[in-house]
Amino acid sequence: MRSQEPATELNTAAMSYLNLLLCSIEAKDWELFREAGIKKPQAFRALADILTTSSEFNGMTFLHAALRHNPPLSIIAGITKICPDTPSRRDCLNRTALHVAAGVGANADVIKYLAMEAPETCRVQDADGRTPLHFACDVDCQLFEGEERKRDPPSYEMVHTLLRANYSSAAIEDADDMSPLEYAIFSHADMRVIKLLQKAAQKHVKSLDASRKERQNQDIALNVAA
């Protein structure tokens, strides 16, 4: 008796359907993607599971794929409605959809939507220790090998949106010991952006100091009680 194929192995029909959706993304044919994918939620959900679990696609989701090509917010919202856990999923480089959005310079509405859907992803560090805020602040960042993009300096609106979701990300350093603030300076960011990042980092340090003092006071109280 023939053994059952693994769930992650793509059959011909599923591969054809999946390729149709991925090609529509690359072509930025959002109407085709909406009609063939989002408007068929059951089939779309099944393909999304295949996409994320297949080693061939390195943990990529439809959000990861779409965000590389500047999709309208309605597409991002449509994907998330069908697959609510997608904004939190990470690819083989430990990058979330928010990493990709920040890295390609997506518009502030898309950044805000993703940050609100999964605020915890603002602190997620990829394989190089970078958070979405690092990508947002680094105009020279390269998300994918061989892919070059011209980026404007980080905007106040984008940085503010990411910090509003999680201000502590301003104090995180990557594998090169670089903070988002340092990348912003090298990227010739506006002084408003620089000051915003400085204030967020200072706020995080003060929060850590307050927590440390509180623990010390608790330890003192326990010792006195003993």
Side-chain angles (χ1 to χ4, degrees), residues 95-117:
R95 292 173 181 167
T96 66
L98 190 56
H99 283 85
V100 180
V104 300
N107 69 62
D109 288 338
V110 169
I111 297 289
K112 182 178 181 180
Y113 178 86
L114 292 171
M116 290 180 66
E117 285 293 314

Side-chain angles (χ1 to χ4, degrees), residues 68-90:
R68 295 177 65 175
H69 301 281
N70 193 32
L73 179 58
S74 61
I75 293 294
I76 300 303
I79 294 173
T80 305
K81 183 178 180 180
I82 298 172
C83 306
D85 65 333
T86 306
S88 299
R89 284 187 173 270
R90 309 178 190 188

Side-chain angles (χ1 to χ4, degrees), residues 139-199:
V139 295
D140 294 320
C141 76
Q142 189 178 37
L143 275 172
F144 307 99
E145 188 176 350
E147 184 174 86
E148 294 185 5
R149 294 174 182 267
K150 275 195 170 184
R151 290 268 309 279
D152 293 325
S155 70
Y156 181 91
E157 190 175 10
M158 180 187 291
V159 173
H160 181 267
T161 297
L162 290 170
L163 290 175
R164 187 176 182 182
N166 195 313
Y167 68 86
S168 64
S169 59
I172 296 176
E173 293 185 342
D174 64 14
D176 294 321
D177 299 323
M178 292 279 287
S179 69
L181 173 60
E182 290 170 304
Y183 282 116
I185 292 172
F186 284 122
S187 297
H188 305 291
D190 185 85
M191 186 53 65
R192 292 174 67 228
V193 174
I194 300 299
K195 290 182 177 179
L196 183 64
L197 288 163
Q198 288 175 330
K199 288 181 179 179

Side-chain angles (χ1 to χ4, degrees), residues 27-44:
K28 298 185 180 182
D29 189 342
W30 304 118
E31 188 57 34
L32 174 59
F33 184 80
R34 184 181 286 108
E35 292 295 326
I38 293 174
K39 288 190 175 182
K40 299 178 180 180
Q42 187 173 354
F44 187 84

Side-chain angles (χ1 to χ4, degrees), residues 45-93:
R45 193 176 297 111
L47 287 175
D49 288 339
I50 292 172
L51 181 64
T52 56
T53 56
S54 173
S55 59
E56 181 179 349
F57 296 103
N58 300 313
M60 178 178 70
T61 68
F62 278 121
L63 274 186
H64 285 88
L67 284 163
R68 295 177 65 175
H69 301 281
N70 193 32
L73 179 58
S74 61
I75 293 294
I76 300 303
I79 294 173
T80 305
K81 183 178 180 180
I82 298 172
C83 306
D85 65 333
T86 306
S88 299
R89 284 187 173 270
R90 309 178 190 188
D91 64 14
C92 65
L93 295 175

